[in-house]
Amino acid sequence: MRALLSYGLAFVFLVVAGLWLGTGTLVIGGNGPGKGEQPIISVFEGEPDGPIHNQLADAGVLAPPPSEEGTTHIDPHLTIAQRNEEETGAAVPAQSVRTVTYMAQAMPIMVPLRGRTQAKSSVSAVAETAGIIDTVAVTKGQKVAVGDLLCTLDQGTRQAAVNQADAGLAQANAGLVQAQLDFDTNADLRNKGLAAANTSRPLEVALTSAKASVTSAQAAVDNAKAEFDRTEIVAKVAGVVQDPLATAGSMLAMGSPCASIVQLDPMVFIAQVPESRISLAKTGLDASITTVTGQTVDGKVSFISETADPATRSFPIEIEIPNKDGALRDGLTATATVNLGSAPAHLVPQSVLTLNDDGELGVRAVEDSKAKFYPVQIASDTRQGVWVLGLPPKVDIITVGQEFVNDGQAVTATNVAAAEGTAS
């Protein structure tokens, strides 16, 4: 009996609670202000004016539905203060905001590149004659200047060839002196009438032949000395000695390298420029290069390829870097920032950026004591702030309160810089 009594009381309570809830109003959100409201009993009946709904309404249990006539349409874009102003007609105080005046500045246009350092050139110091290496005057990693001795070859009979050529030159000079003397003597006799006029012809031929002999002998001397000088292999460029490096005692053929010299001053930075930015690239532009080891050096764009890499559709570029102290090494991973010039833009803090009702990114400013939204385009993001495009040269941007005002709303603006100047 007690169980039946308990279940009965519980059933009565449920019925009473259900009837009480049925007299309430269900509010469905997401439909805008003043919409989505209907009696709960209508939800159960499946229609707005069912029999139970009408009976409860006639009994005065349900409140009559609001009539559409005389209802004020609520604009969801208005703030609560603006809605109250429309309903009551009372003027709402202007929203207080704080502003900062920003002026257009010259924004540097920087293009980042990734690449590596590379030696300007690698030159092989080769032998111009064949011979056995007598001495190697340098070691790997040694810095050399132009004209420094690298290797020497066994002179062999080259010195004897020079001596022989010198002797031939001396003999030719003696023959020339004798031929000149004979010619002058004959000319003197002909002038005195002691020799016939036709006697000069053989002497002229002899003199010409003696001069040719001297010229030939001088060429032989030059060739012998040049061959002798080729036994010393010197550096034609300044740099650092690298492999391959010859070994003393080995045979060196003509054209074989004695040593390789890597030219590290100047160094070059090689990278690839995307085809979308190749129109901005020009030779002579300033660039800043930072290596993976933390070294930073300035350079200039020295080469831009006219043809793109077929695989990447990018254009090879070279930036020449001074490296007088040799601190930069060949093959280091590095990044470069190329300065393409400047463009007018505004440097603003990220906190002033906001979105309008259409989802556009921009800033809210004050113009003629009213809020105005300016859409902007982010050009660059730095530690100092964000460079944006699309603003007037001078603009008062709302820094505090931009989220509480709409476009065209009257505001009371306090300029931070002006206020600080007045206080001081």
Side-chain angles (χ1 to χ4, degrees), residues 327-352:
L328 293 177
R329 297 179 179 271
D330 180 20
L332 287 176
T333 301
T335 58
T337 304
V338 182
N339 187 355
L340 299 181
S342 61
H346 292 75
L347 181 63
V348 300
Q350 293 184 355
S351 57
V352 304

Side-chain angles (χ1 to χ4, degrees), residues 43-130:
V43 178
F44 289 105
E45 289 187 303
E47 52 183 346
D49 295 324
I52 301 177
H53 174 274
N54 293 335
Q55 290 181 7
L56 293 176
D58 294 339
V61 178
L62 294 178
S67 173
E68 293 185 2
E69 296 180 1
T71 359
T72 306
H73 174 69
I74 301 176
D75 187 355
H77 300 292
L78 298 179
T79 62
I80 296 177
Q82 291 173 329
R83 294 176 188 173
N84 293 335
E85 181 180 5
E86 284 191 357
E87 292 176 2
T88 62
V92 179
Q95 175 70 39
S96 297
V97 295
R98 301 185 72 181
T99 63
V100 173
T101 302
Y102 289 92
M103 305 290 294
Q105 306 177 48
M107 176 193 67
I109 303 176
M110 314 297 285
V111 174
L113 299 173
R114 292 187 62 84
R116 61 183 177 86
T117 59
Q118 179 176 286
K120 180 71 172 179
S121 62
S122 181
V123 180
S124 294
V126 299
E128 298 181 26
T129 186

Side-chain angles (χ1 to χ4, degrees), residues 377-396:
Q377 178 183 359
I378 296 179
S380 177
D381 190 0
T382 65
R383 294 183 178 180
Q384 294 75 25
V386 180
W387 287 99
V388 296
L389 306 173
L391 295 177
K394 180 179 180 181
V395 59
D396 294 332

Side-chain angles (χ1 to χ4, degrees), residues 313-391:
R313 305 307 306 164
S314 56
F315 291 79
I317 186 174
E318 292 184 5
I319 300 173
E320 191 170 291
I321 314 166
N323 189 30
K324 293 183 179 180
D325 56 356
L328 293 177
R329 297 179 179 271
D330 180 20
L332 287 176
T333 301
T335 58
T337 304
V338 182
N339 187 355
L340 299 181
S342 61
H346 292 75
L347 181 63
V348 300
Q350 293 184 355
S351 57
V352 304
L353 298 178
T354 185
L355 299 175
N356 64 0
D357 296 331
D358 298 328
E360 292 182 292
L361 180 68
V363 298
R364 285 192 172 92
V366 175
E367 186 176 306
D368 298 330
S369 300
K370 291 184 179 180
K372 184 173 182 178
F373 180 83
Y374 286 100
V376 298
Q377 178 183 359
I378 296 179
S380 177
D381 190 0
T382 65
R383 294 183 178 180
Q384 294 75 25
V386 180
W387 287 99
V388 296
L389 306 173
L391 295 177

